[in-house]
Amino acid sequence: MAPILAHRFDKKPIVISLGGSILVQEHIDVAYIKKFNDFIRRQVKNGRRFIIITGGGRIAREYQQAASAVRKVSNFDKDWIGIHATRLNAQLLRTVMADICTHVVIDKRKKLQRLTKPVAFGSGWRPGASTDHVSVSIAIDYGAEVIINASNIDHVYSADFRKDKTAQPFNNLTWKQYRALVPKEWKPGLSSPIDPVAARLAERHKIQAIVVKGNDLENFERLVTGKHFSGTIIG
Ligand code: UTP
């Protein structure tokens, strides 16, 4: 769809929920990480600040499935494996941006009282939701009004576009409309643009979410610089 949306960010840090699926497909996407690193550094030079929460993506699911293939594993334990996958991805990016980011990864609430560097990384926190939920919590804690959900889909659709050819992309949705589209309950490895627990928290705290395709860095750049971009604004 045409880039018609726009969002003006205030001076607060820009909170990004970065899907694990765009960092690692079959292998770690080093070419993407290079470009993402350049992109963030360019924005930092222009005075922007970021908190980036990395997902676990394929690594999380593969490890969760491997454990379950051996014996019956509780959802709680599957979530913990997923959390460790998100931590590994956070450490990868933290290492790449070590000179511009805080060395501590925000792996639980209130871990970092003050943001002393332009970039900070976060990972999964607790079982029961995904890194979307962490991102919304971080937005609340650091006073941001919006989270960017950068994953492998370009919009929220009316149905699963991989299975349903009639699925339509949305530009705007209220949280109520969004919640009617996705499952109500959480389960480990659940694949929905924003997980339902995070959606409820965002709605309660009036946090918006902007869904964009994370590997389209030109569009991503237009979004963070207040230009017209393509994606879905929820809330
Ligand atoms: P992700 O946030 O990566 O979820 O967490 P995802 O749906 O795989 O998102 P993409 O693919 O990266 O975009 C991976 C798994 O880690 C556990 C959950 O099991 C989740 O499915 N997790 C993550 C938690 O239990 N708590 C958290 O705070 C974060």
Side-chain angles (χ1 to χ4, degrees), residues 125-145:
W125 283 357
R126 301 275 315 146
S130 79
T131 43
D132 301 332
H133 187 255
V134 172
S135 307
V136 174
S137 306
I138 282 183
I140 296 166
D141 290 352
Y142 295 92
E145 290 167 353

Side-chain angles (χ1 to χ4, degrees), residues 18-21 55-57 60-61 64 78-80 82-83 86 124-132 134 151 186-191:
L18 189 66
S21 49
R61 288 195 186 84
Q64 287 169 338
K78 278 192 216 160
D79 276 346
W80 270 115
I83 290 167
T86 68
W125 283 357
R126 301 275 315 146
S130 79
T131 43
D132 301 332
V134 172
S151 67
W186 167 254
K187 63 173 200 272
L190 179 81
S191 178

Side-chain angles (χ1 to χ4, degrees), residues 122-166:
S123 68
W125 283 357
R126 301 275 315 146
S130 79
T131 43
D132 301 332
H133 187 255
V134 172
S135 307
V136 174
S137 306
I138 282 183
I140 296 166
D141 290 352
Y142 295 92
E145 290 167 353
V146 55
I147 66 157
I148 298 176
N149 184 283
S151 67
N152 57 4
I153 54 159
D154 52 21
H155 288 86
V156 176
Y157 285 77
S158 56
D160 186 344
F161 60 86
R162 276 160 285 212
K163 296 179 195 149
D164 184 346
K165 290 278 166 281
T166 64

